[in-house]
Amino acid sequence: ETPSNFRCEGKLDDYLKEQGVVGIYGVDTRELTKILRDNGAMNAYIGDKPLQDLSVLQEYAVKNAVAKVTVKETKTYGEESAPYTVAFMDFGAKNSDIAELTAIGCKVLRVPADTKAEEIFAMNVDGVVLSAGPGNPAENVAIIEEIKKIVGKKPVFGVSLGYQMLALALGAQTAKMQKGHRGGQPVKALDSGRVYISSQNHGYVVVASSVTGGKIDFVNVNDGTCEGIDYAEQKAFGVQFDPSACSIASPSNILYDKFIANMKKEKTNA
């Protein structure tokens, strides 16, 4: 309230108001941390007066999250002469994921989340990436139905939300976590035993016991949850973590290498 640094050009309170950002103070954040640690993630309300009806808070849920963040029309990235063309189903991905694909020789067609499988096949792509994104994977029923049509026809690489929807399309189940994975998380590759440090931000998980037709190949070191599944026969696989922001990406990204290898195999057999 009374800043004293000689470089100060204004108050934080005034700046937040100018930017339309809600701020709170006088709250014991350590106590909140303990509550969340013991009880798991929960909804919160910030207001200028207490809620009289707590059911409003308890029943609140994010809905149609993917539809709110996906692109509205197809966008193209990379060189026209690139050896591989990839359909990138955008569920709310970061531009860095597309940059990673163009850097390894892919022309990327970033398509809206509601794009039909037939439309993707008509683009003559060599593979399909199911991107990361927000919300409950199971609510995207229509998208999951289209993924079912794509798997087995084209190599597929699912990331985070995309990985969860790939698993749902192939018969697995997802569940809300008591405590989501936020920030740095250690993941173990079961084939090599090597542990990688990954970046994650999700509150849902694929239920390991429900996985059929695929092999779990990554698990979380902290809680043992499923972090990656390989559906080798369908040339489809996915991981819960960001493949670009992970120690797995150095010196070369074995996940993108695997995706490229699947597309190369598909082109060779075509």
Side-chain angles (χ1 to χ4, degrees), residues 108-270:
V108 178
L109 304 178
R110 186 177 193 173
V111 301
D114 60 356
T115 303
K116 304 299 183 185
E118 291 76 13
E119 297 175 72
I120 290 176
F121 295 147
M123 297 174 183
N124 293 317
V125 298
D126 301 301
V128 178
V129 173
L130 310 175
S131 87
N136 180 355
E139 81 168 3
N140 301 293
V141 176
I143 296 173
I144 293 168
E145 287 302 311
E146 297 306 313
I147 294 173
K148 289 180 181 179
K149 300 174 186 177
I150 296 169
V151 173
K153 304 285 196 314
K154 296 289 181 180
V156 175
F157 178 21
V159 177
S160 192
L161 179 70
Y163 143 80
Q164 294 169 352
M165 288 198 281
L166 172 64
L168 287 167
L170 291 171
Q173 298 173 353
T174 55
K176 186 172 177 62
M177 307 173 72
Q178 185 191 33
K179 301 179 180 69
H181 291 161
R182 316 293 176 186
Q185 292 285 328
V187 294
K188 182 178 181 179
L190 297 181
D191 59 347
S192 66
R194 184 171 179 180
V195 174
Y196 300 94
I197 300 303
S198 70
S199 175
Q200 301 187 26
N201 184 24
H202 65 100
Y204 290 84
V205 65
V206 174
V207 179
S209 60
S210 70
V211 175
T212 58
K215 183 185 75 170
I216 297 175
D217 53 3
F218 289 96
V219 296
N220 189 288
V221 176
N222 289 334
D223 58 17
T225 53
C226 178
E227 293 273 9
I229 307 171
D230 184 14
Y231 298 95
E233 290 188 7
Q234 289 94 348
K235 295 187 181 66
F237 69 99
V239 292
Q240 181 63 75
F241 47 90
D242 184 345
S244 303
C246 174
S247 59
I248 209 168
S250 179
S252 65
N253 195 316
I254 61 174
L255 297 172
Y256 284 116
D257 290 347
K258 181 176 180 177
F259 182 51
I260 292 289
N262 283 346
M263 289 193 293
K264 182 177 181 180
K265 190 183 301 181
E266 189 74 6
K267 285 174 76 87
T268 302
N269 295 334

